[in-house]
Amino acid sequence: MNALIIGAGPAGTSCAIQLLKAGIEVSILDKQHFPRSAPGETLHPGIEPLLKELDIWKEIEGFSFKRHPGIITEFRDSAKLDLYNQEGSWEGFQFPRDTFDQLLLDQAISLGAKFYSGSKITDVTLSSIGIATVFTNSGSFNASFFIDASGRNAVLPKKLGIRYKQQSTPLFVHFGYVESENTHSFSTPRMIWDADGWIWVSRISEKLISWNRLYPFNQKIAKNWLPECLQHLKPAGSHKAADVTWRIAENVSRSNYFLIGDAAFTFDPASSKGVLKAVMSGMMCGYLLGQLKLVKSDIKEIHAHYNTWMNDWFSNDLANMKNMYAEKGFPI
Ligand SMILES: Cc1cc2nc3c(=O)[nH]c(=O)nc-3n(C[C@H](O)[C@H](O)[C@H](O)COP(=O)(O)OP(=O)(O)OC[C@H]3O[C@@H](n4cnc5c(N)ncnc54)[C@H](O)[C@@H]3O)c2cc1C
């Protein structure tokens, strides 16, 4: 039994580590070369036990990444710190994603994953006898299981016509970075709701602050736009935009494919749990396929379990997100 994973983000590499622990051979393809940058640096504290389970906790501690006890929400002239727990002792993380994703990838490679960077996929086929073939610019790959961890790009759904259920109006988030050496500013992430939507500002390292801007009604943004509170600082690079419309794939797994992380379902960054979901869904997929190999579980039961688990999770988050936006005056 072997698995081919498309995408070396946190979903793909967490899945790879679980599969390798169960003795399943893994190849990972990514179109980019690593380390590569990615948005999504504020991590929910719930990630800590998972990083311990993935055996990268020691390395994480070695980096002394920034931590925060909660998130400050500004709404209608008031600012409130929402702690992750009552005592303020359960702390989230700020991980520059190039370093974080590389740590996970290094762990997968050290356990035996074969990694092919700069691999562009040209075609995908799934055969009825349970073999997946992926054709790339660097040759073709066969595997008994095909795992799509390609993020919002969703390679497999595009190639195989798997549809998504869209659950929000089209949502685009704009994001960028500024340079700042005042290490105290924005060390606790801040969510600022205004008349047009929300702005997110958080320090991700000694030198960089990241910002996100989302207009629920899809307004355009000026090229050199910056949140008012950052206008005195120097932009680090140009800003970008990403489609973060809420959606879930009609089947998050079936036959011999699994969708994990953002390829399975997406919310906008206001959910602040995208990386947690990527790691958890990757680990769950790896665990279930491990059960298939080790205790010969029934593949139909595995698919039923994975689909129910992901759909229940999505439905809960959907209800929470709708409430949050409605409370702030943006019914989605
Ligand atoms: C602006 C913004 C801010 C965010 N902020 C947060 C935050 O603060 N906290 C949080 O938890 N989440 C946040 N998120 C969400 C978070 O970034 C994602 O949920 C998370 O990165 C998903 O991980 P993944 O492994 O599924 O996909 P990704 O991290 O997107 O990794 C996918 C990988 O697949 C590769 N790939 C894509 N297409 C192909 C292809 N055709 N062939 C081969 N490889 C391919 C890519 O190169 C990439 O390396 C944010 C998202 C955005 C857009």
Side-chain angles (χ1 to χ4, degrees):
M1 187 165 152
N2 65 343
L4 182 68
I5 299 177
I6 307 301
T13 48
S14 303
C15 182
I17 294 168
Q18 286 294 102
L19 290 167
L20 290 156
K21 283 184 179 173
I24 297 171
E25 270 177 47
V26 175
S27 299
I28 310 175
L29 308 182
D30 201 294
K31 65 178 183 178
Q32 298 192 66
H33 293 284
F34 276 62
R36 57 102 179 89
S37 63
E41 297 92 350
T42 304
L43 269 53
H44 188 274
I47 197 117
E48 184 172 330
L50 305 180
L51 301 179
K52 288 181 175 157
E53 181 65 27
L54 294 168
D55 293 331
I56 60 162
W57 187 245
K58 233 194 225 161
E59 287 76 4
I60 294 279
E61 282 187 315
F63 274 95
S64 56
F65 291 115
K66 294 198 163 297
R67 305 204 57 174
H68 56 276
I71 291 170
I72 297 170
T73 304
E74 280 185 32
F75 179 55
R76 289 194 188 135
D77 300 329
S78 75
K80 182 171 151 259
L81 171 62
D82 294 311
L83 294 171
Y84 286 119
N85 72 353
Q86 248 179 358
E87 298 75 32
S89 55
W90 202 36
E91 292 184 310
F93 301 81
Q94 298 291 0
F95 287 139
R97 286 283 303 279
D98 50 353
T99 316
F100 180 69
D101 290 9
Q102 184 70 51
L103 276 177
L104 278 164
L105 178 60
D106 287 346
Q107 172 70 343
I109 292 171
S110 75
L111 292 173
K114 293 194 183 96
F115 179 51
Y116 302 88
S117 63
S119 285
K120 293 208 174 69
I121 292 160
T122 51
D123 204 3
V124 177
T125 59
L126 292 183
S127 85
S128 53
I129 54 160
I131 302 286
T133 309
V134 171
F135 300 89
T136 75
N137 56 340
S138 41
S140 61
F141 296 81
N142 289 333
S144 29
F145 284 96
F146 182 96
I147 297 161
D148 189 344
S150 63
R152 285 169 286 110
N153 222 11
V155 178
L156 183 62
K158 275 186 200 148
K159 296 281 182 203
L160 299 180
I162 300 163
R163 286 188 306 194
Y164 282 87
K165 292 179 265 181
Q166 186 174 320
Q167 298 288 344
S168 69
T169 51
L171 294 174
F172 288 85
V173 65
H174 303 269
F175 62 99
Y177 301 87
V178 291
E179 293 173 9
S180 155
E181 297 201 358
N182 171 4
T183 52
H184 293 298
S185 64
F186 298 105
S187 54
T188 302
R190 197 170 270 260
M191 180 87 170
I192 305 160
W193 290 87
D194 62 16
D196 299 321
W198 58 258
I199 299 165
W200 169 267
V201 184
S202 66
R203 172 168 294 280
I204 61 159
S205 71
E206 298 299 310
K207 293 202 167 132
L208 285 183
I209 293 177
S210 94
W211 62 266
N212 296 180
R213 176 50 147 153
L214 189 139
Y215 298 111
F217 302 115
N218 202 14
Q219 290 179 34
K220 289 229 164 76
I221 194 167
K223 250 191 180 167
N224 54 355
W225 188 89
L226 274 181
E228 211 177 302
C229 54
L230 303 180
Q231 281 173 3
H232 59 294
L233 297 169
K234 188 173 163 229
S238 53
H239 74 233
K240 297 185 179 138
D243 181 351
V244 287
T245 307
W246 307 348
R247 63 175 197 175
I248 183 165
E250 274 185 348
N251 288 292
V252 290
S253 76
R254 199 171 162 174
S255 174
N256 49 359
Y257 79 79
F258 284 77
L259 308 182
I260 60 176
D262 276 6
F265 71 72
T266 316
F267 284 105
D268 72 76
S271 80
S272 69
K273 291 198 203 92
V275 175
L276 181 68
K277 174 200 68 197
V279 171
M280 274 177 79
S281 59
M283 289 177 76
M284 176 61 98
C285 170
Y287 168 77
L288 290 172
L289 287 178
Q291 292 297 296
L292 184 71
K293 177 171 189 253
L294 300 173
V295 296
K296 313 267 178 259
S297 310
D298 179 355
I299 186 67
K300 281 193 188 137
E301 279 174 22
I302 285 182
H303 285 313
H305 182 89
Y306 187 67
N307 275 274
T308 306
W309 186 69
M310 291 292 272
N311 275 282
D312 286 352
W313 186 354
F314 183 81
S315 303
N316 277 329
D317 280 5
L318 182 62
N320 291 337
M321 292 290 278
K322 281 190 165 181
N323 275 342
M324 180 175 68
Y325 274 89
E327 274 173 12
K328 302 292 188 288
F330 300 102
I332 288 192

